[in-house]
Structures are given as C-alpha cells and as structure tokens.
Amino acid sequence: MTSTVYFLIALVALAGAGVLLWLDHQRRSVLRANREVWAQAQGFDYRESDTKLRRVFRRAAMDVPDHVEVLDVAFGEYDGAQAVVFDLTETATIVAVRRKAASQVIVDLRHEDVLAPAETDVDLLGAMGPRVMFSNNLEVARRVCDRRMIALANSAPRYVEIMWTEGKWVLGSMPLTNDSARLDAALDVVRRFADLLRVLPPSVDPQDAPDPRDPHGPTNAELADEKTENMRDKRRREAAEQAGEAATVAAPLPSAESGFNPFARDPQGPPVRGPQPAPRPPAPQQAGQNLPLSGQEPSGQGWRRPGPPPSQHYPEDES
C-alpha cells in the first residue's frame, strides 16, 4: 500500500514537471515570437541565441555567471548606427548601440536605487537628478556632464536602470521585457546617450617600433638604425670617392688624338701626375765627358768616340 502511494506521488510530480516545462516552452515561444515580430518591425534580423556577446560585453549588467545565456537577439541598424537587443536568461534585457570610435574612458550612469558598480576601476563623480555617474576618468567625465546630459539623466525612463560604455559600444539595461514600447524607448535613449559621448577621447593603439629597413620610416639616427637605401647610397659615394682618388694617383696617358706625339723630340702634352721614377744618371756624352779611343792619347781638347750621324727617322734616345 505504501509503495503504491509513493508511486502515485512520483507520477504526479513527474506530470507536474512536464506541465511546467511545457508552459515555459510556450512562454518562451511567445516571447520569441514577440521579439521576432518587433525585430521585423525595426528592420532587424533575428537570432534565437548567441554565444559571442558574452565575450564582448562584461561590465555592469553583463557581469553575470557563466551559465546565463544570451537569447532572442535582434540586431540591425538604428538611426545610422549598429544596434543589438537581447535577453540575459532570467536576468535583464540589454540594448547596445555601437559608437564610431572606441574610448578607454568608462562612463556609468545608473539610477540612484541601483547598486553601485562592482568594478573597482571606476569612482563616483556625482548625482544628476535621479541618477548617479561613475567613471574611471573623472576629469573627462566632468566635461561630458553638460546640460544635454543632465536633461537625458532626468528624462530617461525609470526602467532603463543602467547605461554604460564598453569599448565601441554604449549599453542600457532594464528588467526582462518584450513590450514594444519599452524596447523602442530604451533603444532611443541609449542612442541619445551614445551621441552625447562623442566628446570622449578615442583610444590610441600602441605603435610598434619602426623597422629600420622600412624606406618610409624615420631617418633620425636617434629614432632608428640606418636604412638600407641610405647604406647603399653611402657605399656608392665611398666607391666613387675611391675611384676618384685612384684616378688622381694614376691618370691615363694622353692619346694621339689629343695632339701628343710620343716620338717627338720634345713631346708636348699634359704632365703625368703621380710619383715619377728617379732620373737616370746622364750618359758621359751628355755630361760633357769624352772617352778616349783605344790606342790613342788624350789631347788637350779631349777625345770623342766616332759614331754614325743622328737619324732623321728615329728620335734620339733620351733615356
């Protein structure tokens, strides 16, 4: 008898669980259908789930446990900017609008009834109407808080609890909803918030060290090594200078075309540069010395060796 009662109780519990699962599926189907209808009305595309958005957004309302899924994603272009609307399972509905440039300055504007940010890299700036602003750069955030920002903080719907920046995106968070009017209002206020944040300084990517071989890189020796083209031109100049010095040391002899006759008695032409060989000692005849012939006595006028008359066809040997 007892076992039968337990068996009946188990059947009832199982049936109840099945009914709850069916009701939840029906509710999700209705919500999914409503979100898809709203996406079509906005000209957005629809996707049942997404696994990448959890890696893109991590701050504020997106700081949730890993088991929380991203569902009912509607994405497209809104007022000239990319926009995404999605749900975090049993947590919140998120609206995100992409800015033109990323910024390292974080601005977190949330309702005063919402808990302060869990991140430790932001500080409290002050209150603007019913909302409070936090930032990691208070000096820049003060410049953002002009009259338009104060007007937005006062006019934004209460259900849009948090608005914050993250990279190139501005996001807004509100309780789970599929109401078309609330989705439209949240999308509009987040888009206006993104417009007011155009004054944020853009992020500056770190630059790699210049390649010394890059012909378009810096030429300052303090900033980069000597470039390849400069080294090549330097070697060419050195080679040209060496060639000029070699030409100076050993200049080429003038040719017959320049009017120089090597067989002339007194050759005319440009002087030969460079070191000249030591002069040979003059022949006895040129030095004024007369050599006596064999078997003859020297006289007062001296002796001269008889020889043939000078030739008219060959120059005299001046060596």
Side-chain angles (χ1 to χ4, degrees), residues 22-23 58 125 204 223 272 278 291:
W22 181 81
L23 291 175
R58 297 182 178 276
L125 176 64
V204 179
L223 301 180
V272 178
L291 299 178

Side-chain angles (χ1 to χ4, degrees), residues 87-103:
D87 290 345
L88 295 176
T89 308
E90 307 298 335
T91 304
T93 297
I94 306 296
V95 177
V97 175
R98 184 184 179 93
R99 301 173 59 241
K100 292 184 178 180
S103 178

